[in-house]
Amino acid sequence: VQLVDSGGGLTRPGGSRRLSCTASGFTFDKYSMNWVRLIPGKGLEWVAYIGRSSTDIFYSDSVKGRFTVSRDNAKKSLWLQMGNLRAADTGTYYCTTAAFDFWGPGTPVVVSS
Amino acid sequence: EIVLTQSPGSLSLSPGDRATLSCRASQSVGTSLVWLQHRPGQAPRLLIFDATDRVTGVPARFSGSGSGTDFTLTISSLEPEDLGIYYCHQRAKWPRTFGQGTNIEIK
């Protein structure tokens, strides 16, 4: 079982970045998925949820309207499109199953000028 | 939004000590609460789901209790590898929320 998240890096405030997560070793289309982030000095924060068929999607208030979560079950892939980035979005982003049984290693995002 | 308040903020204990971590919710979450361990440099790890059920492979020294608004994670006898930050998380309502964490240091 493996989740590999990628796409992190340095972005200027107001910019955009797309995170990816690729799954292997389990039946991806049977799992709802989350994005969770670790904010330095603050702890873990739930970011977004997407159901198995993409019908149900939810966001934290802090990212609603700026971030978009999507998935392609045929490609066993999950994405987080992040827009209008702020310094407060700096952190390590993890893709994880909704039940938290599988996690990616995390990808760091730094928003700074 | 449901606010989860964890206490204490940090614990410094010796191997073999008992650790008791608290998580209080601002409104009832039933038993829709999980506990996670986050060791430095690693991805978080699920320990307890549905407030009391231990994940397969998690040592028996970890146990969860509580329902409604008050929850406890107990580590009966600390091992050196138990250092890290422990988070509670509610899955009862949207938006999902985490507590701020309890940091366990091993003396």
Side-chain angles (χ1 to χ4, degrees):
Chain A
V1 173
Q2 194 171 24
L3 288 170
V4 179
D5 27 40
S6 62
L10 175 63
T11 308
R12 300 213 183 274
S16 299
R17 184 161 286 271
R18 190 190 199 205
L19 305 183
S20 301
C21 174
T22 302
S24 62
F26 67 102
T27 309
F28 181 69
D29 61 8
K30 294 194 182 304
Y31 286 79
S32 301
M33 300 294 293
N34 280 327
W35 286 97
V36 171
R37 63 188 181 184
L38 176 66
I39 304 295
K42 292 189 68 178
L44 293 176
E45 180 185 7
W46 171 79
V47 174
Y49 164 96
I50 184 167
R52 291 178 294 176
S53 60
S54 304
T55 302
D56 295 320
I57 291 176
F58 297 93
Y59 298 98
S60 68
D61 290 344
S62 61
V63 309
K64 195 178 297 182
R66 301 187 298 122
F67 289 13
T68 301
V69 61
S70 61
R71 66 188 293 165
D72 184 329
N73 288 339
K75 296 181 178 179
K76 297 186 178 182
S77 294
L78 175 74
W79 296 278
L80 185 68
Q81 179 67 47
M82 304 186 295
N84 191 18
L85 282 163
R86 307 165 179 167
D89 295 316
T90 293
T92 300
Y93 285 69
Y94 299 94
C95 66
T96 171
T97 53
F100 296 141
D101 32 15
F102 308 139
W103 290 74
T107 186
V109 172
V110 177
V111 183
S112 175
S113 55
Chain B
E1 161 174 320
I2 296 177
V3 177
L4 299 178
T5 302
Q6 292 187 240
S7 61
S10 63
L11 284 171
S12 182
L13 297 169
S14 299
D17 285 349
R18 182 183 187 90
T20 303
L21 287 65
S22 173
C23 176
R24 178 162 291 179
S26 59
Q27 59 183 274
S28 177
V29 299
T31 57
S32 297
L33 186 114
V34 306
W35 290 94
L36 300 110
Q37 175 194 58
H38 195 191
R39 293 176 181 153
Q42 299 183 15
R45 172 196 183 195
L46 180 67
L47 299 176
I48 302 287
F49 63 96
D50 292 344
T52 61
D53 293 343
R54 192 168 49 248
V55 172
T56 301
V58 171
R61 63 181 182 273
F62 292 92
S63 63
S65 63
S67 65
T69 60
D70 289 292
F71 301 87
T72 301
L73 176 70
T74 301
I75 310 173
S76 59
S77 179
L78 276 168
E79 298 285 344
E81 63 265 28
D82 296 337
L83 86 164
I85 302 177
Y86 291 77
Y87 296 92
C88 57
H89 169 82
Q90 65 82 18
R91 302 171 55 186
K93 293 187 177 179
W94 303 102
R96 304 296 197 232
T97 48
F98 285 91
Q100 81 278 20
T102 293
N103 185 37
I104 291 183
E105 296 180 347
I106 307 296
K107 293 178 183 176

mmCIF file of all heavy atoms in Angstrom, chain B residues 14-53:
data_model
loop_
_atom_site.group_PDB
_atom_site.id
_atom_site.type_symbol
_atom_site.label_atom_id
_atom_site.label_comp_id
_atom_site.label_asym_id
_atom_site.label_seq_id
_atom_site.Cartn_x
_atom_site.Cartn_y
_atom_site.Cartn_z
ATOM 1 N N SER B 14 8.907 9.567 31.944
ATOM 2 C CA SER B 14 9.965 8.553 31.841
ATOM 3 C C SER B 14 9.404 7.262 31.276
ATOM 4 O O SER B 14 8.187 7.005 31.377
ATOM 5 C CB SER B 14 10.557 8.287 33.221
ATOM 6 O OG SER B 14 11.142 9.454 33.756
ATOM 7 N N PRO B 15 10.266 6.449 30.674
ATOM 8 C CA PRO B 15 9.801 5.127 30.219
ATOM 9 C C PRO B 15 9.150 4.374 31.367
ATOM 10 O O PRO B 15 9.641 4.409 32.509
ATOM 11 C CB PRO B 15 11.093 4.456 29.748
ATOM 12 C CG PRO B 15 11.975 5.593 29.341
ATOM 13 C CD PRO B 15 11.663 6.696 30.304
ATOM 14 N N GLY B 16 8.032 3.712 31.074
ATOM 15 C CA GLY B 16 7.301 2.987 32.093
ATOM 16 C C GLY B 16 6.195 3.791 32.746
ATOM 17 O O GLY B 16 5.307 3.218 33.387
ATOM 18 N N ASP B 17 6.235 5.121 32.587
ATOM 19 C CA ASP B 17 5.177 5.966 33.163
ATOM 20 C C ASP B 17 3.874 5.787 32.394
ATOM 21 O O ASP B 17 3.856 5.355 31.238
ATOM 22 C CB ASP B 17 5.577 7.445 33.115
ATOM 23 C CG ASP B 17 6.609 7.816 34.160
ATOM 24 O OD1 ASP B 17 6.875 6.985 35.062
ATOM 25 O OD2 ASP B 17 7.149 8.940 34.073
ATOM 26 N N ARG B 18 2.803 6.170 33.044
ATOM 27 C CA ARG B 18 1.477 6.175 32.423
ATOM 28 C C ARG B 18 1.200 7.583 31.908
ATOM 29 O O ARG B 18 1.433 8.565 32.620
ATOM 30 C CB ARG B 18 0.432 5.781 33.465
ATOM 31 C CG ARG B 18 -0.994 5.698 32.969
ATOM 32 C CD ARG B 18 -1.904 5.369 34.148
ATOM 33 N NE ARG B 18 -3.282 5.092 33.767
ATOM 34 C CZ ARG B 18 -3.736 3.890 33.463
ATOM 35 N NH1 ARG B 18 -2.920 2.840 33.481
ATOM 36 N NH2 ARG B 18 -5.010 3.713 33.139
ATOM 37 N N ALA B 19 0.698 7.681 30.684
ATOM 38 C CA ALA B 19 0.350 8.979 30.096
ATOM 39 C C ALA B 19 -1.150 9.034 29.877
ATOM 40 O O ALA B 19 -1.741 8.106 29.322
ATOM 41 C CB ALA B 19 1.082 9.181 28.774
ATOM 42 N N THR B 20 -1.753 10.128 30.315
ATOM 43 C CA THR B 20 -3.189 10.326 30.135
ATOM 44 C C THR B 20 -3.410 11.628 29.385
ATOM 45 O O THR B 20 -3.073 12.710 29.878
ATOM 46 C CB THR B 20 -3.907 10.360 31.494
ATOM 47 O OG1 THR B 20 -3.637 9.145 32.203
ATOM 48 C CG2 THR B 20 -5.411 10.507 31.299
ATOM 49 N N LEU B 21 -3.961 11.520 28.179
ATOM 50 C CA LEU B 21 -4.177 12.669 27.316
ATOM 51 C C LEU B 21 -5.674 12.907 27.178
ATOM 52 O O LEU B 21 -6.435 11.963 26.970
ATOM 53 C CB LEU B 21 -3.576 12.420 25.926
ATOM 54 C CG LEU B 21 -2.059 12.445 25.759
ATOM 55 C CD1 LEU B 21 -1.370 11.326 26.529
ATOM 56 C CD2 LEU B 21 -1.702 12.383 24.280
ATOM 57 N N SER B 22 -6.064 14.155 27.263
ATOM 58 C CA SER B 22 -7.478 14.514 27.221
ATOM 59 C C SER B 22 -7.826 15.274 25.949
ATOM 60 O O SER B 22 -7.015 16.047 25.427
ATOM 61 C CB SER B 22 -7.831 15.362 28.441
ATOM 62 O OG SER B 22 -9.143 15.857 28.352
ATOM 63 N N CYS B 23 -9.030 15.068 25.459
ATOM 64 C CA CYS B 23 -9.567 15.794 24.314
ATOM 65 C C CYS B 23 -11.019 16.125 24.618
ATOM 66 O O CYS B 23 -11.822 15.217 24.894
ATOM 67 C CB CYS B 23 -9.463 14.931 23.059
ATOM 68 S SG CYS B 23 -10.206 15.648 21.567
ATOM 69 N N ARG B 24 -11.347 17.404 24.603
ATOM 70 C CA ARG B 24 -12.708 17.837 24.903
ATOM 71 C C ARG B 24 -13.293 18.551 23.695
ATOM 72 O O ARG B 24 -12.647 19.446 23.130
ATOM 73 C CB ARG B 24 -12.711 18.757 26.113
ATOM 74 C CG ARG B 24 -14.080 19.315 26.481
ATOM 75 C CD ARG B 24 -14.096 19.849 27.883
ATOM 76 N NE ARG B 24 -13.994 18.777 28.866
ATOM 77 C CZ ARG B 24 -13.964 18.963 30.179
ATOM 78 N NH1 ARG B 24 -14.001 20.201 30.672
ATOM 79 N NH2 ARG B 24 -13.886 17.952 31.005
ATOM 80 N N ALA B 25 -14.488 18.147 23.302
ATOM 81 C CA ALA B 25 -15.153 18.735 22.134
ATOM 82 C C ALA B 25 -16.151 19.800 22.566
ATOM 83 O O ALA B 25 -16.786 19.683 23.615
ATOM 84 C CB ALA B 25 -15.871 17.641 21.350
ATOM 85 N N SER B 26 -16.294 20.818 21.724
ATOM 86 C CA SER B 26 -17.191 21.931 22.047
ATOM 87 C C SER B 26 -18.664 21.547 21.925
ATOM 88 O O SER B 26 -19.534 22.255 22.434
ATOM 89 C CB SER B 26 -16.886 23.125 21.141
ATOM 90 O OG SER B 26 -17.047 22.774 19.775
ATOM 91 N N GLN B 27 -18.945 20.437 21.259
ATOM 92 C CA GLN B 27 -20.281 19.848 21.195
ATOM 93 C C GLN B 27 -20.128 18.356 20.962
ATOM 94 O O GLN B 27 -19.049 17.902 20.573
ATOM 95 C CB GLN B 27 -21.134 20.492 20.090
ATOM 96 C CG GLN B 27 -20.563 20.390 18.698
ATOM 97 C CD GLN B 27 -21.429 21.125 17.677
ATOM 98 O OE1 GLN B 27 -22.391 20.553 17.161
ATOM 99 N NE2 GLN B 27 -21.091 22.370 17.393
ATOM 100 N N SER B 28 -21.182 17.626 21.189
ATOM 101 C CA SER B 28 -21.073 16.173 21.123
ATOM 102 C C SER B 28 -20.661 15.685 19.735
ATOM 103 O O SER B 28 -21.179 16.142 18.714
ATOM 104 C CB SER B 28 -22.404 15.527 21.503
ATOM 105 O OG SER B 28 -22.307 14.117 21.366
ATOM 106 N N VAL B 29 -19.713 14.741 19.737
ATOM 107 C CA VAL B 29 -19.319 14.068 18.498
ATOM 108 C C VAL B 29 -19.656 12.581 18.574
ATOM 109 O O VAL B 29 -19.205 11.791 17.736
ATOM 110 C CB VAL B 29 -17.816 14.270 18.187
ATOM 111 C CG1 VAL B 29 -17.504 15.748 18.009
ATOM 112 C CG2 VAL B 29 -16.935 13.654 19.267
ATOM 113 N N GLY B 30 -20.453 12.186 19.580
ATOM 114 C CA GLY B 30 -20.758 10.774 19.748
ATOM 115 C C GLY B 30 -19.476 9.998 20.007
ATOM 116 O O GLY B 30 -18.730 10.319 20.940
ATOM 117 N N THR B 31 -19.230 9.003 19.180
ATOM 118 C CA THR B 31 -17.953 8.279 19.263
ATOM 119 C C THR B 31 -17.142 8.462 17.985
ATOM 120 O O THR B 31 -16.242 7.676 17.685
ATOM 121 C CB THR B 31 -18.175 6.779 19.534
ATOM 122 O OG1 THR B 31 -19.006 6.237 18.508
ATOM 123 C CG2 THR B 31 -18.806 6.556 20.898
ATOM 124 N N SER B 32 -17.448 9.503 17.228
ATOM 125 C CA SER B 32 -16.762 9.751 15.958
ATOM 126 C C SER B 32 -15.470 10.518 16.162
ATOM 127 O O SER B 32 -15.283 11.634 15.666
ATOM 128 C CB SER B 32 -17.688 10.505 14.994
ATOM 129 O OG SER B 32 -18.819 9.735 14.683
ATOM 130 N N LEU B 33 -14.587 9.903 16.942
ATOM 131 C CA LEU B 33 -13.333 10.549 17.280
ATOM 132 C C LEU B 33 -12.186 9.567 17.093
ATOM 133 O O LEU B 33 -12.311 8.389 17.418
ATOM 134 C CB LEU B 33 -13.346 11.048 18.724
ATOM 135 C CG LEU B 33 -12.119 11.870 19.104
ATOM 136 C CD1 LEU B 33 -12.490 13.319 19.394
ATOM 137 C CD2 LEU B 33 -11.355 11.261 20.245
ATOM 138 N N VAL B 34 -11.079 10.061 16.542
ATOM 139 C CA VAL B 34 -9.895 9.237 16.352
ATOM 140 C C VAL B 34 -8.709 9.897 17.045
ATOM 141 O O VAL B 34 -8.718 11.099 17.316
ATOM 142 C CB VAL B 34 -9.572 8.998 14.861
ATOM 143 C CG1 VAL B 34 -10.772 8.425 14.122
ATOM 144 C CG2 VAL B 34 -9.098 10.279 14.182
ATOM 145 N N TRP B 35 -7.708 9.076 17.336
ATOM 146 C CA TRP B 35 -6.436 9.553 17.876
ATOM 147 C C TRP B 35 -5.327 9.178 16.896
ATOM 148 O O TRP B 35 -5.297 8.052 16.375
ATOM 149 C CB TRP B 35 -6.141 8.921 19.223
ATOM 150 C CG TRP B 35 -7.009 9.381 20.347
ATOM 151 C CD1 TRP B 35 -8.153 8.801 20.798
ATOM 152 C CD2 TRP B 35 -6.781 10.517 21.194
ATOM 153 N NE1 TRP B 35 -8.666 9.516 21.854
ATOM 154 C CE2 TRP B 35 -7.828 10.571 22.126
ATOM 155 C CE3 TRP B 35 -5.787 11.497 21.257
ATOM 156 C CZ2 TRP B 35 -7.929 11.558 23.106
ATOM 157 C CZ3 TRP B 35 -5.869 12.479 22.235
ATOM 158 C CH2 TRP B 35 -6.931 12.503 23.137
ATOM 159 N N LEU B 36 -4.425 10.122 16.659
ATOM 160 C CA LEU B 36 -3.285 9.892 15.777
ATOM 161 C C LEU B 36 -1.995 10.248 16.502
ATOM 162 O O LEU B 36 -1.978 11.142 17.353
ATOM 163 C CB LEU B 36 -3.397 10.742 14.508
ATOM 164 C CG LEU B 36 -4.632 10.503 13.653
ATOM 165 C CD1 LEU B 36 -5.554 11.696 13.717
ATOM 166 C CD2 LEU B 36 -4.254 10.231 12.212
ATOM 167 N N GLN B 37 -0.945 9.552 16.125
ATOM 168 C CA GLN B 37 0.397 9.823 16.628
ATOM 169 C C GLN B 37 1.212 10.417 15.483
ATOM 170 O O GLN B 37 1.154 9.908 14.348
ATOM 171 C CB GLN B 37 1.036 8.511 17.081
ATOM 172 C CG GLN B 37 2.481 8.599 17.523
ATOM 173 C CD GLN B 37 3.107 7.199 17.609
ATOM 174 O OE1 GLN B 37 3.150 6.450 16.632
ATOM 175 N NE2 GLN B 37 3.569 6.836 18.799
ATOM 176 N N HIS B 38 1.959 11.473 15.777
ATOM 177 C CA HIS B 38 2.819 12.064 14.758
ATOM 178 C C HIS B 38 4.234 12.171 15.292
ATOM 179 O O HIS B 38 4.536 13.040 16.122
ATOM 180 C CB HIS B 38 2.306 13.446 14.337
ATOM 181 C CG HIS B 38 2.916 13.931 13.065
ATOM 182 N ND1 HIS B 38 2.782 15.227 12.603
ATOM 183 C CD2 HIS B 38 3.670 13.295 12.140
ATOM 184 C CE1 HIS B 38 3.422 15.355 11.457
ATOM 185 N NE2 HIS B 38 3.965 14.190 11.160
ATOM 186 N N ARG B 39 5.066 11.262 14.840
ATOM 187 C CA ARG B 39 6.471 11.280 15.221
ATOM 188 C C ARG B 39 7.231 12.210 14.296
ATOM 189 O O ARG B 39 6.874 12.369 13.117
ATOM 190 C CB ARG B 39 7.072 9.880 15.116
ATOM 191 C CG ARG B 39 6.543 8.876 16.101
ATOM 192 C CD ARG B 39 7.145 7.532 15.806
ATOM 193 N NE ARG B 39 6.669 6.499 16.702
ATOM 194 C CZ ARG B 39 6.620 5.206 16.376
ATOM 195 N NH1 ARG B 39 7.022 4.836 15.178
ATOM 196 N NH2 ARG B 39 6.180 4.319 17.228
ATOM 197 N N PRO B 40 8.308 12.818 14.793
ATOM 198 C CA PRO B 40 9.090 13.744 13.947
ATOM 199 C C PRO B 40 9.574 13.074 12.674
ATOM 200 O O PRO B 40 10.087 11.947 12.710
ATOM 201 C CB PRO B 40 10.270 14.110 14.860
ATOM 202 C CG PRO B 40 9.789 13.873 16.240
ATOM 203 C CD PRO B 40 8.839 12.722 16.165
ATOM 204 N N GLY B 41 9.368 13.758 11.532
ATOM 205 C CA GLY B 41 9.884 13.268 10.267
ATOM 206 C C GLY B 41 9.075 12.151 9.630
ATOM 207 O O GLY B 41 9.474 11.607 8.603
ATOM 208 N N GLN B 42 7.952 11.798 10.239
ATOM 209 C CA GLN B 42 7.125 10.732 9.694
ATOM 210 C C GLN B 42 5.723 11.243 9.393
ATOM 211 O O GLN B 42 5.324 12.304 9.864
ATOM 212 C CB GLN B 42 7.038 9.563 10.681
ATOM 213 C CG GLN B 42 8.366 8.920 10.997
ATOM 214 C CD GLN B 42 8.210 7.722 11.924
ATOM 215 O OE1 GLN B 42 7.113 7.198 12.116
ATOM 216 N NE2 GLN B 42 9.305 7.274 12.504
ATOM 217 N N ALA B 43 4.982 10.490 8.612
ATOM 218 C CA ALA B 43 3.572 10.798 8.427
ATOM 219 C C ALA B 43 2.800 10.420 9.687
ATOM 220 O O ALA B 43 3.217 9.527 10.437
ATOM 221 C CB ALA B 43 3.025 10.032 7.223
ATOM 222 N N PRO B 44 1.710 11.106 9.953
ATOM 223 C CA PRO B 44 0.883 10.702 11.099
ATOM 224 C C PRO B 44 0.414 9.253 10.972
ATOM 225 O O PRO B 44 0.349 8.700 9.872
ATOM 226 C CB PRO B 44 -0.294 11.682 11.026
ATOM 227 C CG PRO B 44 0.254 12.876 10.331
ATOM 228 C CD PRO B 44 1.213 12.316 9.309
ATOM 229 N N ARG B 45 0.083 8.684 12.126
ATOM 230 C CA ARG B 45 -0.312 7.272 12.196
ATOM 231 C C ARG B 45 -1.591 7.161 13.002
ATOM 232 O O ARG B 45 -1.675 7.707 14.116
ATOM 233 C CB ARG B 45 0.804 6.481 12.879
ATOM 234 C CG ARG B 45 0.498 5.025 13.207
ATOM 235 C CD ARG B 45 1.536 4.520 14.211
ATOM 236 N NE ARG B 45 1.373 3.118 14.550
ATOM 237 C CZ ARG B 45 1.969 2.536 15.603
ATOM 238 N NH1 ARG B 45 2.753 3.243 16.380
ATOM 239 N NH2 ARG B 45 1.780 1.254 15.842
ATOM 240 N N LEU B 46 -2.578 6.469 12.464
ATOM 241 C CA LEU B 46 -3.827 6.269 13.176
ATOM 242 C C LEU B 46 -3.632 5.235 14.283
ATOM 243 O O LEU B 46 -3.111 4.149 14.039
ATOM 244 C CB LEU B 46 -4.907 5.793 12.204
ATOM 245 C CG LEU B 46 -6.289 5.535 12.787
ATOM 246 C CD1 LEU B 46 -6.922 6.843 13.263
ATOM 247 C CD2 LEU B 46 -7.177 4.847 11.761
ATOM 248 N N LEU B 47 -4.061 5.586 15.497
ATOM 249 C CA LEU B 47 -3.957 4.679 16.645
ATOM 250 C C LEU B 47 -5.312 4.109 17.046
ATOM 251 O O LEU B 47 -5.451 2.910 17.259
ATOM 252 C CB LEU B 47 -3.381 5.429 17.853
ATOM 253 C CG LEU B 47 -1.993 6.025 17.752
ATOM 254 C CD1 LEU B 47 -1.680 6.811 19.026
ATOM 255 C CD2 LEU B 47 -0.946 4.941 17.526
ATOM 256 N N ILE B 48 -6.286 4.981 17.198
ATOM 257 C CA ILE B 48 -7.595 4.642 17.744
ATOM 258 C C ILE B 48 -8.661 5.241 16.831
ATOM 259 O O ILE B 48 -8.543 6.402 16.426
ATOM 260 C CB ILE B 48 -7.771 5.227 19.164
ATOM 261 C CG1 ILE B 48 -6.688 4.740 20.120
ATOM 262 C CG2 ILE B 48 -9.182 4.937 19.702
ATOM 263 C CD1 ILE B 48 -6.802 3.303 20.554
ATOM 264 N N PHE B 49 -9.704 4.474 16.507
ATOM 265 C CA PHE B 49 -10.848 4.999 15.774
ATOM 266 C C PHE B 49 -12.122 4.706 16.555
ATOM 267 O O PHE B 49 -12.128 3.860 17.455
ATOM 268 C CB PHE B 49 -10.911 4.422 14.360
ATOM 269 C CG PHE B 49 -11.103 2.928 14.300
ATOM 270 C CD1 PHE B 49 -12.358 2.376 14.129
ATOM 271 C CD2 PHE B 49 -10.015 2.074 14.415
ATOM 272 C CE1 PHE B 49 -12.537 1.006 14.077
ATOM 273 C CE2 PHE B 49 -10.168 0.696 14.359
ATOM 274 C CZ PHE B 49 -11.446 0.157 14.195
ATOM 275 N N ASP B 50 -13.171 5.439 16.211
ATOM 276 C CA ASP B 50 -14.450 5.304 16.913
ATOM 277 C C ASP B 50 -14.270 5.395 18.440
ATOM 278 O O ASP B 50 -14.908 4.667 19.200
ATOM 279 C CB ASP B 50 -15.162 4.000 16.530
ATOM 280 C CG ASP B 50 -15.637 3.997 15.096
ATOM 281 O OD1 ASP B 50 -15.698 5.087 14.493
ATOM 282 O OD2 ASP B 50 -15.928 2.917 14.565
ATOM 283 N N ALA B 51 -13.376 6.260 18.842
ATOM 284 C CA ALA B 51 -13.104 6.614 20.243
ATOM 285 C C ALA B 51 -12.395 5.543 21.059
ATOM 286 O O ALA B 51 -11.602 5.868 21.951
ATOM 287 C CB ALA B 51 -14.385 7.030 20.976
ATOM 288 N N THR B 52 -12.673 4.260 20.784
ATOM 289 C CA THR B 52 -12.163 3.207 21.663
ATOM 290 C C THR B 52 -11.495 2.045 20.939
ATOM 291 O O THR B 52 -10.879 1.198 21.598
ATOM 292 C CB THR B 52 -13.295 2.633 22.528
ATOM 293 O OG1 THR B 52 -14.297 2.073 21.654
ATOM 294 C CG2 THR B 52 -13.936 3.696 23.407
ATOM 295 N N ASP B 53 -11.608 1.979 19.602
ATOM 296 C CA ASP B 53 -11.125 0.811 18.876
ATOM 297 C C ASP B 53 -9.676 1.006 18.428
ATOM 298 O O ASP B 53 -9.367 1.927 17.685
ATOM 299 C CB ASP B 53 -12.009 0.544 17.655
ATOM 300 C CG ASP B 53 -13.411 0.116 18.039
ATOM 301 O OD1 ASP B 53 -13.602 -0.296 19.221
ATOM 302 O OD2 ASP B 53 -14.310 0.179 17.195
#
